[in-house]
Amino acid sequence: MVTVVGICGVIGSGKSLVRRIFEVLYELPTYDCDAKAKELYYHPTVRREIEQAFGEDPIDSDGRLRRDFLTSLLVQDTDRYRLEEINHRALFEDFEVWRKSQEVRSEVVVAESAILFSSGFYRVCDHTIMIEASETVRRERVKHRDRDKGEGFFEKISALQREEERLQREGADFKIDNDGDTALVPQVEYIFKQLTSNT
């Protein structure tokens, strides 16, 4: 059975960088839950379920994701839960197919998710790692990375992630400091040794 390592962290923490370190340093297969979740809106079954639930197609006539429409569904809890239920179910199914396809390649796979705990995805993980960074550092990273998103983008996403951050702090098996003062690779190496000593 493949060991699944889940990587999480709130906006600007650097979880994608840590995922890539695992990928490059140890040649581990990695799965980006956040990127895949966006792709799945194009899946015929997901599109049909969203249209049946909300009366509108999540994809516009030019084949682009209707981000404003999907964002509007996050305002009401009932709509948000229904949307998440549709998308998360598809994501779990896709991940399970992917995980099984990696069994001949590696004993360990890595999955990255911004909402690892609130989505319930942590349940398919054998180990979880939270990437931490101060709010000041994260805000600066997002400011430089997402310049087109506007001034209040960081605050808006941070507010949405407060409960997820609490769950990560309480539930993660390991934590990595990515404030910029502590080297990342030695921290990843230490955790990898801990993980593989039990596989």
Side-chain angles (χ1 to χ4, degrees):
M1 178 66 80
V2 172
T3 296
V4 179
V5 179
I7 293 178
C8 58
V10 292
I11 185 170
S13 59
K15 56 189 175 298
S16 294
L17 176 59
V18 173
R19 173 176 57 83
R20 288 194 292 270
I21 291 174
F22 274 103
E23 189 174 46
V24 172
L25 201 60
Y26 301 108
E27 299 183 339
L28 297 180
T30 67
Y31 185 94
D32 186 341
C33 292
D34 304 331
K36 179 56 71 172
K38 290 183 179 72
E39 286 179 26
L40 287 170
Y41 284 116
Y42 290 87
H43 191 283
T45 302
V46 174
R47 285 182 68 177
R48 185 170 58 252
E49 286 190 35
I50 290 174
E51 190 164 10
Q52 288 173 347
F54 304 106
E56 295 187 48
D57 191 333
I59 310 301
D60 68 20
S61 57
D62 294 322
R64 292 175 299 199
L65 190 63
R66 296 178 56 205
R67 297 178 186 278
D68 289 344
F69 164 61
L70 294 171
T71 300
S72 72
L73 297 178
L74 302 178
V75 178
Q76 296 290 333
D77 287 346
T78 305
D79 289 343
R80 184 175 76 250
Y81 295 147
R82 180 63 183 131
L83 179 65
E84 289 174 348
E85 179 187 10
I86 294 168
N87 191 262
H88 293 169
R89 183 172 64 248
L91 183 69
F92 277 62
E93 292 172 358
D94 185 82
F95 176 77
E96 185 60 19
V97 171
W98 177 84
R99 184 192 63 76
K100 288 181 178 178
S101 73
Q102 303 302 316
E103 289 181 350
V104 295
R105 179 182 166 194
S106 177
E107 294 181 354
V108 179
V109 299
V110 176
E112 173 198 340
S113 174
I115 52 172
L116 190 76
F117 284 87
S118 55
S119 68
F121 199 86
Y122 74 96
R123 295 189 185 97
V124 303
C125 300
D126 299 288
H127 307 282
T128 53
I129 304 169
M130 179 187 185
I131 316 306
E132 297 181 298
S134 70
E135 183 175 327
T136 302
V137 168
R138 293 189 294 105
R139 180 182 282 105
E140 282 303 306
R141 286 175 183 161
V142 172
K143 181 180 176 181
H144 290 292
R145 183 189 71 192
D146 300 314
R147 295 178 182 176
D148 60 323
K149 298 291 178 64
E151 190 65 35
F153 176 69
F154 177 82
E155 284 70 21
K156 179 180 177 182
I157 300 302
S158 293
L160 290 171
Q161 292 184 331
R162 280 204 188 97
E163 177 63 10
E164 171 66 25
E165 184 175 14
R166 183 187 69 79
L167 292 171
Q168 290 179 14
R169 290 194 184 285
E170 292 178 358
D173 301 317
F174 301 95
K175 293 182 176 67
I176 286 179
D177 179 357
N178 189 28
D179 247 357
D181 298 324
T182 308
L184 278 177
V185 171
Q187 296 182 77
V188 172
E189 289 180 328
Y190 171 79
I191 291 174
F192 184 72
K193 287 177 182 176
Q194 298 294 308
L195 299 178
T196 52
S197 66
N198 298 319
T199 56

